[in-house]
Amino acid sequence: MPNALQTLEDYWAAATEPRPLVIFGAGRWGRVWAGVAAGARGSGEGVALIARSNLDDTLAWQAGNARLAGAVVTSDAEAALRDLGSGGSALIASRPGDHIRDLEMCLRAGVPSLVEKPFSADPAASARLAQRAADAGLVFGLGVEFSLLPELHALGEVLGSWSGTATLHWEDPDAEVRHGHVKRTHDEISLLDDILPHALSIFGVIAGSEPDWRMEQASERGVRSGQLSLREGERTFRLFASKAMPERTRRLEIDCRDGRNFVLDFARAPARLARAGQAVALEPRFNALSSTLRLELGAWFRALDGDRPAIVADLNTHIAMHARLRELLA
């Protein structure tokens, strides 16, 4: 369900708190996260980046980024967790096939962890680990940045109660460059494994409280495209995904049975929301919330304080839907 603007603003402010943070994975995405955390708090102090296989390259990268001068770059994950300090947490940005290994390490160390989507390459292993964390009273969450997109939450407020069809188009070109590096393909997960968490979290914002998802269909055409459909009450939610298109597309279309229709285009910042083809004017305060990753980091910090943002509360649903996806694709 949508968050109030005040909640998103609180997440934005929370990200500035200098809480100790260990980031697993010093590839493209781990480095992006290190930059987000350092940028929000004003320095790299308190941030540790685990570079198991590319330490020298990561140290050279750090040397060229002044705001990360206070961060720790190391290949010793266990030492980083031991030195984490009170109130610290981990962010797992390693490749999906390594998530369980890294989360196991955090679980043994008693460190709460936010893991980038998908939770792991194996939904059964995900479910077991999530249960162990819950039994230990340890907070685990799932990183799905676009679930914090301010314009999406504004759309949720405008929509209110609705029925009809929501369609998400998620398309990328081959060898897309994002944040200065070519996006990597991980062969341990399929295209839909990768995009399902984004789709489910985006749909969750407009579906209302505690949606009862039913995945009815899923199919993939090789490794380059796929689609799926879910039902929730009287509403249909569809995803069309591809990584072989001419340009990047991120578009959510909603056709309501009462005749209303909306399009949210978030392929580029700022996102654009339209109703019946006309731009929807949003509260100007939304404009200041310009980074979904910073909002996600703040939501995670609030989860550590005992709040239940969707990135934490919906974890088991994401894992169950991943398992259902694997059934349909088998």
Short mmCIF file of all heavy atoms in Angstrom, two decimals, residues 139-172:
data_model
loop_
_atom_site.label_atom_id
_atom_site.label_comp_id
_atom_site.label_asym_id
_atom_site.label_seq_id
_atom_site.Cartn_x
_atom_site.Cartn_y
_atom_site.Cartn_z
N VAL A 139 16.46 -9.20 11.89
CA VAL A 139 15.74 -8.56 10.79
C VAL A 139 16.46 -8.82 9.47
O VAL A 139 17.65 -8.52 9.33
CB VAL A 139 15.62 -7.04 11.01
CG1 VAL A 139 14.89 -6.38 9.84
CG2 VAL A 139 14.90 -6.74 12.32
N PHE A 140 15.74 -9.39 8.52
CA PHE A 140 16.22 -9.53 7.15
C PHE A 140 15.23 -8.81 6.24
O PHE A 140 14.02 -8.80 6.51
CB PHE A 140 16.31 -11.00 6.73
CG PHE A 140 17.59 -11.69 7.12
CD1 PHE A 140 18.52 -11.10 7.94
CD2 PHE A 140 17.86 -12.97 6.64
CE1 PHE A 140 19.70 -11.75 8.29
CE2 PHE A 140 19.04 -13.63 6.97
CZ PHE A 140 19.96 -13.02 7.80
N GLY A 141 15.71 -8.23 5.17
CA GLY A 141 14.84 -7.54 4.24
C GLY A 141 15.29 -7.75 2.81
O GLY A 141 16.35 -8.33 2.55
N LEU A 142 14.49 -7.28 1.86
CA LEU A 142 14.76 -7.45 0.44
C LEU A 142 14.86 -6.08 -0.22
O LEU A 142 13.97 -5.24 -0.10
CB LEU A 142 13.66 -8.26 -0.23
CG LEU A 142 13.85 -8.58 -1.71
CD1 LEU A 142 15.04 -9.52 -1.89
CD2 LEU A 142 12.59 -9.22 -2.29
N GLY A 143 15.97 -5.85 -0.94
CA GLY A 143 16.19 -4.57 -1.60
C GLY A 143 15.46 -4.48 -2.93
O GLY A 143 15.83 -5.12 -3.91
N VAL A 144 14.41 -3.69 -2.96
CA VAL A 144 13.63 -3.46 -4.18
C VAL A 144 13.39 -1.95 -4.26
O VAL A 144 12.36 -1.44 -3.84
CB VAL A 144 12.30 -4.25 -4.18
CG1 VAL A 144 12.52 -5.67 -4.67
CG2 VAL A 144 11.66 -4.29 -2.79
N GLU A 145 14.35 -1.24 -4.84
CA GLU A 145 14.37 0.21 -4.74
C GLU A 145 13.13 0.90 -5.31
O GLU A 145 12.68 1.92 -4.77
CB GLU A 145 15.62 0.78 -5.41
CG GLU A 145 15.72 0.48 -6.89
CD GLU A 145 16.78 1.33 -7.58
OE1 GLU A 145 16.76 2.56 -7.42
OE2 GLU A 145 17.63 0.74 -8.28
N PHE A 146 12.56 0.37 -6.40
CA PHE A 146 11.47 1.09 -7.03
C PHE A 146 10.17 1.01 -6.23
O PHE A 146 9.22 1.72 -6.53
CB PHE A 146 11.27 0.59 -8.46
CG PHE A 146 12.42 0.95 -9.36
CD1 PHE A 146 13.31 0.00 -9.78
CD2 PHE A 146 12.64 2.27 -9.74
CE1 PHE A 146 14.39 0.32 -10.59
CE2 PHE A 146 13.71 2.62 -10.53
CZ PHE A 146 14.59 1.64 -10.96
N SER A 147 10.14 0.15 -5.20
CA SER A 147 8.99 0.17 -4.30
C SER A 147 8.95 1.45 -3.48
O SER A 147 7.94 1.73 -2.83
CB SER A 147 9.03 -1.04 -3.37
OG SER A 147 10.15 -0.97 -2.49
N LEU A 148 10.03 2.23 -3.50
CA LEU A 148 10.07 3.51 -2.78
C LEU A 148 9.96 4.70 -3.72
O LEU A 148 10.14 5.84 -3.29
CB LEU A 148 11.38 3.61 -1.97
CG LEU A 148 11.45 2.93 -0.60
CD1 LEU A 148 10.38 3.44 0.33
CD2 LEU A 148 11.42 1.43 -0.71
N LEU A 149 9.68 4.47 -4.99
CA LEU A 149 9.56 5.56 -5.95
C LEU A 149 8.45 6.52 -5.52
O LEU A 149 7.28 6.13 -5.42
CB LEU A 149 9.25 4.99 -7.34
CG LEU A 149 9.21 5.97 -8.50
CD1 LEU A 149 10.61 6.47 -8.84
CD2 LEU A 149 8.57 5.30 -9.72
N PRO A 150 8.78 7.78 -5.24
CA PRO A 150 7.76 8.70 -4.71
C PRO A 150 6.54 8.83 -5.62
O PRO A 150 5.40 8.87 -5.14
CB PRO A 150 8.52 10.02 -4.59
CG PRO A 150 9.94 9.62 -4.39
CD PRO A 150 10.12 8.40 -5.25
N GLU A 151 6.77 8.91 -6.93
CA GLU A 151 5.64 9.07 -7.84
C GLU A 151 4.73 7.85 -7.84
O GLU A 151 3.53 7.98 -8.10
CB GLU A 151 6.17 9.34 -9.26
CG GLU A 151 6.89 10.66 -9.42
CD GLU A 151 8.37 10.60 -9.04
OE1 GLU A 151 8.82 9.54 -8.52
OE2 GLU A 151 9.08 11.60 -9.26
N LEU A 152 5.28 6.67 -7.54
CA LEU A 152 4.45 5.47 -7.43
C LEU A 152 3.52 5.58 -6.23
O LEU A 152 2.35 5.20 -6.30
CB LEU A 152 5.35 4.24 -7.31
CG LEU A 152 4.66 2.90 -7.03
CD1 LEU A 152 3.75 2.50 -8.18
CD2 LEU A 152 5.70 1.81 -6.78
N HIS A 153 4.04 6.09 -5.13
CA HIS A 153 3.20 6.24 -3.94
C HIS A 153 2.15 7.34 -4.14
O HIS A 153 1.02 7.24 -3.65
CB HIS A 153 4.08 6.51 -2.72
CG HIS A 153 4.87 5.30 -2.32
ND1 HIS A 153 4.43 4.41 -1.36
CD2 HIS A 153 6.04 4.81 -2.78
CE1 HIS A 153 5.31 3.43 -1.25
NE2 HIS A 153 6.30 3.65 -2.10
N ALA A 154 2.52 8.38 -4.89
CA ALA A 154 1.53 9.40 -5.25
C ALA A 154 0.42 8.79 -6.10
O ALA A 154 -0.77 9.08 -5.91
CB ALA A 154 2.21 10.55 -5.98
N LEU A 155 0.80 7.92 -7.02
CA LEU A 155 -0.20 7.22 -7.84
C LEU A 155 -1.12 6.38 -6.96
O LEU A 155 -2.34 6.36 -7.16
CB LEU A 155 0.52 6.33 -8.87
CG LEU A 155 -0.35 5.33 -9.63
CD1 LEU A 155 -1.43 6.03 -10.43
CD2 LEU A 155 0.53 4.45 -10.55
N GLY A 156 -0.55 5.67 -5.99
CA GLY A 156 -1.36 4.87 -5.09
C GLY A 156 -2.41 5.69 -4.37
O GLY A 156 -3.56 5.24 -4.19
N GLU A 157 -2.03 6.88 -3.96
CA GLU A 157 -2.98 7.76 -3.27
C GLU A 157 -4.08 8.23 -4.22
O GLU A 157 -5.26 8.29 -3.84
CB GLU A 157 -2.24 8.97 -2.68
CG GLU A 157 -1.27 8.63 -1.56
CD GLU A 157 -1.98 8.27 -0.26
OE1 GLU A 157 -3.22 8.43 -0.18
OE2 GLU A 157 -1.29 7.83 0.68
N VAL A 158 -3.72 8.56 -5.45
CA VAL A 158 -4.70 9.03 -6.43
C VAL A 158 -5.66 7.92 -6.82
O VAL A 158 -6.88 8.14 -6.97
CB VAL A 158 -3.98 9.58 -7.68
CG1 VAL A 158 -4.99 9.90 -8.78
CG2 VAL A 158 -3.18 10.83 -7.33
N LEU A 159 -5.12 6.70 -6.96
CA LEU A 159 -5.94 5.56 -7.37
C LEU A 159 -7.03 5.23 -6.36
O LEU A 159 -8.18 4.98 -6.72
CB LEU A 159 -5.06 4.33 -7.56
CG LEU A 159 -4.56 3.97 -8.94
CD1 LEU A 159 -3.65 2.77 -8.85
CD2 LEU A 159 -5.71 3.70 -9.89
N GLY A 160 -6.64 5.20 -5.09
CA GLY A 160 -7.57 4.77 -4.06
C GLY A 160 -8.03 3.34 -4.31
O GLY A 160 -7.28 2.49 -4.77
N SER A 161 -9.31 3.06 -4.06
CA SER A 161 -9.87 1.74 -4.31
C SER A 161 -10.16 1.61 -5.80
O SER A 161 -10.76 2.49 -6.41
CB SER A 161 -11.16 1.57 -3.51
OG SER A 161 -11.75 0.32 -3.76
N TRP A 162 -9.70 0.49 -6.41
CA TRP A 162 -9.87 0.35 -7.85
C TRP A 162 -9.95 -1.12 -8.21
O TRP A 162 -9.57 -2.00 -7.45
CB TRP A 162 -8.71 1.02 -8.59
CG TRP A 162 -7.38 0.34 -8.38
CD1 TRP A 162 -6.58 0.42 -7.28
CD2 TRP A 162 -6.73 -0.56 -9.27
NE1 TRP A 162 -5.46 -0.36 -7.43
CE2 TRP A 162 -5.52 -0.97 -8.65
CE3 TRP A 162 -7.02 -1.06 -10.55
CZ2 TRP A 162 -4.62 -1.85 -9.25
CZ3 TRP A 162 -6.13 -1.94 -11.16
CH2 TRP A 162 -4.94 -2.32 -10.51
N SER A 163 -10.42 -1.37 -9.40
CA SER A 163 -10.38 -2.70 -10.00
C SER A 163 -10.03 -2.53 -11.46
O SER A 163 -10.24 -1.47 -12.05
CB SER A 163 -11.72 -3.43 -9.83
OG SER A 163 -12.76 -2.72 -10.47
N GLY A 164 -9.46 -3.58 -12.05
CA GLY A 164 -9.05 -3.48 -13.43
C GLY A 164 -7.74 -4.21 -13.65
O GLY A 164 -7.48 -5.24 -13.03
N THR A 165 -6.88 -3.66 -14.52
CA THR A 165 -5.64 -4.32 -14.91
C THR A 165 -4.46 -3.37 -14.80
O THR A 165 -4.55 -2.22 -15.25
CB THR A 165 -5.72 -4.83 -16.37
OG1 THR A 165 -6.82 -5.75 -16.47
CG2 THR A 165 -4.45 -5.53 -16.78
N ALA A 166 -3.39 -3.85 -14.21
CA ALA A 166 -2.14 -3.11 -14.15
C ALA A 166 -1.10 -3.88 -14.94
O ALA A 166 -0.95 -5.10 -14.77
CB ALA A 166 -1.68 -2.92 -12.71
N THR A 167 -0.38 -3.19 -15.81
CA THR A 167 0.62 -3.83 -16.68
C THR A 167 1.95 -3.10 -16.52
O THR A 167 2.02 -1.88 -16.67
CB THR A 167 0.19 -3.79 -18.15
OG1 THR A 167 -1.09 -4.40 -18.28
CG2 THR A 167 1.20 -4.52 -19.02
N LEU A 168 2.99 -3.87 -16.22
CA LEU A 168 4.34 -3.32 -16.06
C LEU A 168 5.20 -3.78 -17.23
O LEU A 168 5.37 -4.97 -17.45
CB LEU A 168 4.95 -3.77 -14.74
CG LEU A 168 6.38 -3.33 -14.45
CD1 LEU A 168 6.48 -1.81 -14.37
CD2 LEU A 168 6.89 -3.97 -13.15
N HIS A 169 5.75 -2.81 -17.96
CA HIS A 169 6.69 -3.08 -19.04
C HIS A 169 8.10 -2.79 -18.52
O HIS A 169 8.39 -1.66 -18.12
CB HIS A 169 6.40 -2.21 -20.26
CG HIS A 169 5.06 -2.49 -20.88
ND1 HIS A 169 4.86 -3.44 -21.85
CD2 HIS A 169 3.84 -1.93 -20.63
CE1 HIS A 169 3.59 -3.46 -22.21
NE2 HIS A 169 2.95 -2.56 -21.48
N TRP A 170 8.96 -3.81 -18.55
CA TRP A 170 10.31 -3.69 -18.01
C TRP A 170 11.27 -4.20 -19.08
O TRP A 170 11.46 -5.39 -19.24
CB TRP A 170 10.42 -4.52 -16.73
CG TRP A 170 11.65 -4.27 -15.92
CD1 TRP A 170 12.93 -4.67 -16.20
CD2 TRP A 170 11.72 -3.57 -14.68
NE1 TRP A 170 13.79 -4.25 -15.22
CE2 TRP A 170 13.07 -3.58 -14.27
CE3 TRP A 170 10.77 -2.95 -13.87
CZ2 TRP A 170 13.50 -2.99 -13.08
CZ3 TRP A 170 11.18 -2.35 -12.69
CH2 TRP A 170 12.52 -2.37 -12.31
N GLU A 171 11.89 -3.29 -19.80
CA GLU A 171 12.68 -3.66 -20.96
C GLU A 171 14.04 -2.97 -20.94
O GLU A 171 14.15 -1.80 -20.51
CB GLU A 171 11.93 -3.29 -22.24
CG GLU A 171 10.58 -3.97 -22.36
CD GLU A 171 9.67 -3.34 -23.40
OE1 GLU A 171 9.96 -2.23 -23.86
OE2 GLU A 171 8.64 -3.97 -23.72
N ASP A 172 15.05 -3.69 -21.41
CA ASP A 172 16.41 -3.17 -21.45
C ASP A 172 17.07 -3.57 -22.76
O ASP A 172 16.74 -4.59 -23.35
CB ASP A 172 17.25 -3.73 -20.30
CG ASP A 172 16.76 -3.27 -18.95
OD1 ASP A 172 16.72 -2.05 -18.73
OD2 ASP A 172 16.42 -4.13 -18.10
#
